[in-house]
Amino acid sequence: MCLNIGSVRSHYINKFISGYYNLIMEEAKAIKFIELTPEGEFCISSDAMNMLQELGDKKVAPIVIAGPWRSGKSFLANRFVGRMKGFTLGSTVKACTKGIWMWSKPIKLEGEDSCALILDAEGLNSTERSANTDTRLFVLSLLLSSLFVYNSRGHITETSIEDLALVTKLSKDIHVRSTDSEQDAEFYKYLPTFFWVLRDFSLDLNKKTPHDYLEDNLKLQPSEQSAQRNSIRHAITSYFPERDCFTLVRPVNEEGKLINLETMKYADLRSEFTKACDCFVETALKRVRVKTVNGVPLTASMYMGLALEYIQSLNDRETPTVLTALERVLLDEARKHSEAIFEKFSVELGDKLDPSLFPMEECEVAQAIDECKKKAYNEFIQRLHSLCSGNDLAENYKKFEGRIKVETDRINEMNVNNSDEKSKELLQVLFEKLALPRVQSTNDIKPTLTIEFTSEWLSLIHISEPTRLLSISYAVFCLKKKKKKK
């Protein structure tokens, strides 16, 4: 932990965050990611879909800030984007965040070709939501995060441990695979890193780090009265082996200012608070990793697909199954990649074999087709080998190969048909040039008329034997006017 950073470092971090985000966060805002309809069903907003589709193949590292309602989650989320106003804050008894919200501009992660998504989840234990809705929101937040930030007020107490009771039911609320009757022994691998942020913290840790403080409180208690809480402790340590704790003092001393915190300047808050807050943000952005499921790093497109799969399961009152959802997403991604590669192949082939240039020698057509096919097949293997393997890859390759064949057969047929049309046009021109002479009277008819006509106008009519070059037949016509004898 780096809570005791010096003033120079704190100033640098704050300046970096403010300057960096002023450049890249223009026009940025909080948008709805997952909404909850009046009927109690989840859905992804069109704004979030558009954003994730624009990111496309960019790898994503989602950071979800969750916790009890009215605990200051949204303020913490705003610090990731360098703002006091962004995600809505509130000072009343009504919960401000509904569903899960997302910042509209991702944060580029240093040294990686990926970006962090900042998500603010609806507070738990709200009087406006049922326990069932809390459970489903909690499950979604965990499934969709690479780093799960649990924000709560005060110290770690038996009551705050009980607030995390939902963790004990995770093995029932989330399945790894659909075929196993027992939960996967490595269930924790499918869950995110866990950060516990303690707000308004005032204890003296006596040189212990917040991490030590967390671990001390997660140790099993010997009393029988602690059995229920011990099950929660055991679940936290089992499901979140990668965990940490951060402590933040109150941002201001005056109660009146606390109510209107978002109207204040960040620099006017207590220095102990801003230093610790900056350290937390810095650490989170350094330690968050690309969301990976079963060894597959997720792109923005895949992340959206996975969210849709989980939402569909919850709406159908079914238990989300991680690997089943992933398999469907990967198959869909493979289909989209295959379609994109085929479209690219068609465009490149069309550029090389412009129909306006037909007919072309078949060797030229064959060469152009081979070049485009080789490029397309290489790209197909390169892009799809990480999405599917074995029988799935072979099946997708066979379908792709079939589409390529249909397209190349169409091109070859077009060239052959064009060749036939050109030959017919040439025959028509020749026929017109060889029109028979007009006979005005019977005196014009002579036994040698045809011979004289041919001798006069043609020195050669050569119609070659039909010559076959691959599948194109053609004829050569040579027409030459004979010179008159002197």
Side-chain angles (χ1 to χ4, degrees):
M1 295 298 298
C2 52
L3 293 179
N4 296 320
I5 54 179
S7 58
V8 175
R9 187 181 181 195
S10 178
H11 172 74
Y12 170 77
I13 294 171
N14 193 37
K15 184 177 179 181
F16 170 79
I17 291 174
S18 299
Y20 180 72
Y21 287 98
N22 283 340
L23 288 174
I24 67 169
M25 292 293 174
E26 293 182 5
E27 305 300 327
K29 61 181 180 179
I31 59 174
K32 289 181 180 180
F33 176 32
I34 296 177
E35 303 177 74
L36 195 59
T37 67
E39 294 75 26
E41 294 195 342
F42 293 109
C43 64
I44 295 183
S45 73
S46 57
D47 287 342
M49 280 191 173
N50 291 336
M51 172 190 163
L52 293 172
Q53 285 172 348
E54 287 177 7
L55 290 175
D57 291 335
K58 194 81 171 177
K59 295 175 183 176
V60 294
I63 300 174
V64 176
I65 297 92
W69 69 307
R70 308 261 39 86
S71 61
K73 298 181 296 76
S74 298
F75 178 89
L76 203 60
N78 284 334
R79 292 318 308 154
F80 279 97
V81 296
R83 296 196 178 186
M84 292 295 284
K85 291 182 179 181
F87 293 100
T88 305
L89 307 184
S91 57
T92 68
V93 294
K94 291 182 68 66
C96 290
T97 305
K98 301 290 186 181
I100 301 177
W101 288 66
M102 175 188 289
W103 196 247
S104 64
K105 296 289 183 181
I107 302 172
K108 188 180 186 305
L109 295 177
E110 185 179 354
E112 294 190 32
D113 184 24
S114 57
C115 58
L117 304 177
I118 308 302
L119 284 73
D120 183 18
E122 181 175 337
L124 302 172
N125 306 323
S126 166
T127 56
E128 301 175 26
R129 297 294 193 196
S130 66
N132 180 55
T133 299
D134 274 357
T135 299
R136 295 194 296 157
L137 278 169
F138 189 71
V139 166
L140 266 181
S141 298
L142 287 173
L143 288 173
L144 296 177
S145 61
S146 181
L147 171 59
F148 182 82
V149 179
Y150 183 75
N151 180 89
S152 67
R153 289 189 182 276
H155 319 134
I156 298 179
T157 64
E158 295 301 293
T159 300
S160 60
I161 292 288
E162 286 180 350
D163 287 340
L164 280 167
L166 291 174
V167 175
T168 61
K169 300 193 299 178
L170 285 182
S171 60
K172 295 180 179 179
D173 295 327
I174 300 172
H175 288 169
V176 172
R177 48 178 57 85
S178 58
T179 55
D180 290 355
S181 57
E182 296 183 3
Q183 192 56 276
D184 197 297
E186 297 182 334
F187 180 65
Y188 69 91
K189 290 186 176 181
Y190 301 93
L191 296 177
T193 299
F194 180 84
F195 280 5
W196 194 339
V197 177
L198 300 170
R199 305 288 292 276
D200 301 347
F201 191 83
S202 59
L203 288 181
D204 182 359
L205 295 180
N206 296 319
K207 296 183 179 181
K208 284 188 176 183
T209 66
H211 178 79
D212 294 335
Y213 174 70
L214 172 63
E215 294 306 306
D216 286 345
N217 280 279
L218 291 179
K219 291 178 181 177
L220 301 182
Q221 303 300 311
S223 64
E224 293 183 3
Q225 293 82 1
S226 301
Q228 173 61 29
R229 300 185 189 104
N230 280 344
S231 66
I232 300 173
R233 290 183 171 93
H234 176 72
I236 294 174
T237 55
S238 299
Y239 295 153
F240 304 106
E242 188 176 349
R243 55 186 180 270
D244 211 336
C245 182
F246 299 80
T247 59
L248 304 178
V249 299
R250 287 188 63 159
V252 292
N253 289 318
E254 299 86 350
E255 191 72 28
K257 289 184 178 179
L258 193 63
I259 296 176
N260 300 307
L261 199 61
E262 66 177 357
T263 63
M264 297 181 64
K265 293 182 179 178
Y266 187 61
D268 293 337
L269 304 181
R270 292 173 66 188
S271 60
E272 302 96 322
F273 174 81
T274 58
K275 289 176 184 178
C277 197
D278 291 342
C279 180
F280 162 71
V281 170
E282 180 190 27
T283 304
L285 291 177
K286 281 185 177 179
R287 289 173 60 177
V288 69
R289 294 292 176 261
V290 169
K291 179 68 176 175
T292 302
V293 181
N294 203 34
V296 179
L298 300 185
T299 63
S301 176
M302 294 163 67
Y303 180 72
M304 182 177 69
L306 208 59
L308 288 170
E309 289 290 335
Y310 291 147
I311 284 173
Q312 187 62 52
S313 294
L314 291 172
N315 288 342
D316 292 341
R317 302 300 186 264
E318 297 176 353
T319 302
T321 305
V322 177
L323 296 186
T324 300
L326 178 65
E327 182 181 0
R328 290 173 181 164
V329 168
L330 293 180
L331 288 175
D332 187 57
E333 283 297 304
R335 180 192 59 77
K336 288 191 286 188
H337 279 287
S338 178
E339 186 65 33
I341 296 169
F342 178 77
E343 289 298 325
K344 184 178 178 182
F345 165 80
S346 298
V347 170
E348 291 181 352
L349 191 62
D351 290 340
K352 287 179 178 289
L353 300 176
D354 188 340
S356 65
L357 301 177
F358 287 169
M360 297 172 62
E361 291 288 345
E362 282 207 342
C363 58
E364 295 180 58
V365 175
Q367 181 179 353
I369 288 176
D370 286 343
E371 289 175 358
C372 291
K373 281 171 62 174
K374 183 178 179 180
K375 186 176 180 181
Y377 287 145
N378 287 340
E379 186 174 358
F380 182 92
I381 295 297
Q382 182 180 358
R383 291 175 67 174
L384 268 72
H385 86 280
S386 61
L387 299 175
C388 51
S389 58
N391 293 336
D392 289 336
L393 181 60
E395 184 178 347
N396 275 286
Y397 189 85
K398 185 177 180 180
K399 291 179 181 178
F400 183 74
E401 197 174 31
R403 294 190 68 187
I404 293 290
K405 185 178 185 305
V406 170
E407 180 65 10
T408 54
D409 286 350
R410 185 185 70 83
I411 293 292
N412 279 320
E413 185 179 2
M414 189 186 303
N415 194 38
V416 170
N417 291 340
N418 201 288
S419 177
D420 289 345
E421 290 299 321
K422 291 292 184 183
S423 297
K424 290 177 182 178
E425 290 175 9
L426 184 59
L427 285 170
Q428 183 62 33
V429 170
L430 181 62
F431 176 76
E432 291 174 356
K433 289 183 178 295
L434 293 178
L436 294 174
R438 295 180 180 179
V439 178
Q440 300 294 332
S441 66
T442 55
N443 295 329
D444 295 331
I445 301 175
K446 301 177 181 178
T448 59
L449 179 64
T450 302
I451 296 174
E452 290 176 359
F453 173 76
T454 304
S455 177
E456 176 69 20
W457 289 98
L458 300 176
S459 62
L460 174 65
I461 297 179
H462 173 66
I463 303 178
S464 75
E465 291 296 326
T467 305
R468 182 166 295 277
L469 177 61
L470 295 181
S471 62
I472 293 183
S473 297
Y474 66 93
V476 178
F477 299 88
C478 298
L479 178 63
K480 181 179 179 182
K481 184 175 181 180
K482 182 181 178 182
K483 294 181 179 179
K484 292 183 178 180
K485 294 181 179 180
K486 294 182 179 179

